[in-house]
Amino acid sequence: MRQVVGVLAVLATLGVGARPGWARVDLLERLEQKGIITAAERKELEARQAPAVPAAPNHLSYRSRDGRFSGRIYGYGQVRYTFRELEDAENQSNFSVQRTRVGLKGHAFRKNLEYKVYVNVYSGNEKGTDLFDFFGDYAFAPWFSVKAGAYKVPYGVQWNVSASKLQFVERSGVDATFRFDRDTGVTVHGKLAGGLSYDAGVFNGEGRNRNNSGDGHLYVGRVVWAPMGGSPLTGEPSLNRPERPQVFLAASVAYDDDVAGHTRKNLNGRLAALGTSDVVSVGGFAGVAYRGFSLRAEGHRRRIDPKADGVDDETATGLYVQGGALVWRDVVEMAGRYEFFDPNTDASDDLTQSYGVALNAFFNGHRNKIQADWFRIRAQDGPGSATTEDRFRVQYQVAF
């Protein structure tokens, strides 16, 4: 019978190969009705003849005939204009290609083994192509998955929201100071009952695409609670307009052991001055989304403990609060943000504060949008002394 099945497979391909897919299925149905093949053999033949189909509508994607492999090509580009009015320096006016990124993601061999390859083709501050993400993520169960490779460190919330799905042109300065960037390591994660999810990982602690220079590592843990559904990590604006309030809470902790001065440029430059240190960070997040309204707040506290004798610890704190609302259909959103950063709680007159507003136009959601924001930034640089900057930005984004 296996030879018969093989001959029928050839006939189904060649004899009616030029006809639509429904014709091939109809032929197999008739063969089953006449008792020439069994139902199981018909199902096997249909699987053989099933063409590769798109894995997701409206995307550049594919899925293998047997469903064991899938992939989706995706990416986005951002073109930005920035004007900076500086109090004690010459004004700046600049056009830039802020980000151009492309990736491939899907599953391989089985649906619970996901992969992602993500490349930065060009960005305003980083010239040249650079690998951002490369990892495999195997789900043993909904509550337990193992992820290994290079990717964003799961500390905090705003950093783990894609730069293509922000409420403002750019993330907050607080996030830029306290986040742990991308790194190479292993994470266990999962979703538990009641909207609770967790991440726990260990990384080199050296930053993106860097090997470990010693035997210290970065250890990270995060829990996110979304009891009413949704997730704070999928995007900042409330474009999906949930019909009931969605509440989000998150807490993060990180310990970076023996981190060297050259590896953490985002620690507001302090490691360069303090040398090799242990770094302990904690963060908290709260947010709500309801219909077209969203409100989010995130705070961090970080202590740097230098290894060198006679060098004092430094503790930094920061907080941002932002909110927005769709004011015309699902197209126009207005938003506001306030943030502050204290680089050393033991010092005085070193606080940086900023406040600003944003106006966004979503033509096709985040795939095709224009964003504009304005911020006033005031940075203290000594007793009775401070500098002020007004910053205006406009950005167009296209994503696929």
Side-chain angles (χ1 to χ4, degrees), residues 30-68:
R30 291 182 183 180
L31 291 173
E32 181 188 357
Q33 291 172 350
K34 292 179 179 294
I36 299 175
I37 60 174
T38 65
E41 291 167 341
R42 173 190 170 187
K43 184 177 294 186
E44 179 184 351
L45 288 169
E46 288 176 345
R48 291 187 187 182
Q49 300 308 311
V53 296
N58 302 320
H59 291 293
L60 299 172
S61 58
Y62 76 94
R63 184 174 66 241
S64 64
R65 293 177 179 177
D66 58 6
R68 298 176 63 214

Side-chain angles (χ1 to χ4, degrees), residues 50-302:
V53 296
N58 302 320
H59 291 293
L60 299 172
S61 58
Y62 76 94
R63 184 174 66 241
S64 64
R65 293 177 179 177
D66 58 6
R68 298 176 63 214
F69 297 88
S70 73
R72 174 190 160 195
I73 300 173
Y74 70 104
Y76 67 95
Q78 297 174 339
V79 180
R80 180 182 299 181
Y81 170 74
T82 303
F83 179 80
R84 300 175 64 194
E85 185 176 354
L86 305 172
E87 185 176 25
D88 297 323
E90 186 177 351
N91 295 341
Q92 298 178 3
S93 178
N94 182 61
F95 292 95
S96 65
V97 177
Q98 185 62 24
R99 295 179 177 94
T100 307
R101 297 174 182 173
V102 64
L104 174 67
K105 61 182 177 180
H107 67 264
F109 303 105
R110 54 185 64 195
K111 292 184 178 179
N112 59 336
L113 176 56
E114 298 182 346
Y115 68 88
K116 179 179 177 181
V117 182
Y118 191 48
V119 175
N120 179 59
V121 180
Y122 179 90
S123 63
N125 296 322
E126 300 181 38
K127 308 297 188 296
T129 302
D130 194 11
L131 179 67
F132 269 22
D133 296 330
F134 180 80
F135 64 81
D137 193 351
Y138 190 92
F140 293 90
W143 52 270
F144 184 76
S145 299
V146 178
K147 182 178 181 179
Y151 47 92
K152 285 183 176 181
V153 173
Y155 174 88
V157 171
Q158 189 173 54
W159 166 237
N160 285 273
V161 175
S162 169
S164 66
K165 297 182 178 180
L166 300 177
Q167 197 162 46
F168 286 76
V169 172
E170 193 55 83
R171 297 183 181 94
S172 66
V174 169
D175 171 81
T177 299
F178 288 94
R179 70 190 186 211
F180 282 92
D181 213 312
R182 286 173 161 88
D183 214 320
T184 305
V186 179
T187 300
V188 295
H189 63 100
K191 296 181 179 180
L192 307 176
L196 189 67
S197 62
Y198 72 92
D199 300 85
V202 56
F203 299 84
N204 280 338
E206 299 290 329
R208 188 176 73 246
N209 298 335
R210 285 182 178 271
N211 293 325
N212 202 348
S213 59
D215 59 359
H217 289 283
L218 167 63
Y219 304 90
V220 176
R222 182 183 65 192
V223 292
V224 178
W225 188 41
M228 307 299 289
S231 171
L233 303 173
T234 56
E236 292 186 335
S238 182
L239 294 183
N240 60 341
R241 290 183 177 269
E243 289 300 319
R244 60 176 184 170
Q246 293 180 339
V247 178
F248 311 119
L249 296 173
S252 303
V253 61
Y255 172 65
D256 209 346
D257 181 29
D258 286 343
V259 59
H262 71 279
T263 62
R264 279 284 173 254
K265 64 180 182 180
N266 55 343
L267 299 189
N268 63 295
R270 295 309 301 151
L271 287 178
L274 300 176
T276 301
S277 305
D278 292 341
V279 180
V280 179
S281 299
V282 294
F285 171 89
V288 62
Y290 179 53
R291 296 185 175 174
F293 170 78
S294 65
L295 181 64
R296 307 164 74 93
E298 187 168 14
H300 299 275
R301 184 178 181 88
R302 179 188 68 222

Side-chain angles (χ1 to χ4, degrees), residues 155 172-179 266-268 270 279-284 298-304 313-320 338-348 350-354 380:
Y155 174 88
S172 66
V174 169
D175 171 81
T177 299
F178 288 94
R179 70 190 186 211
N266 55 343
L267 299 189
N268 63 295
R270 295 309 301 151
V279 180
V280 179
S281 299
V282 294
E298 187 168 14
H300 299 275
R301 184 178 181 88
R302 179 188 68 222
R303 188 188 70 181
I304 301 177
D313 297 349
E314 283 191 6
T315 299
T317 60
L319 170 73
Y320 75 85
Y338 168 78
E339 61 180 299
F340 79 86
F341 168 57
D342 185 351
N344 188 350
T345 57
D346 291 331
S348 58
D350 60 351
L351 190 68
T352 297
Q353 300 182 78
S354 71
Q380 293 179 311

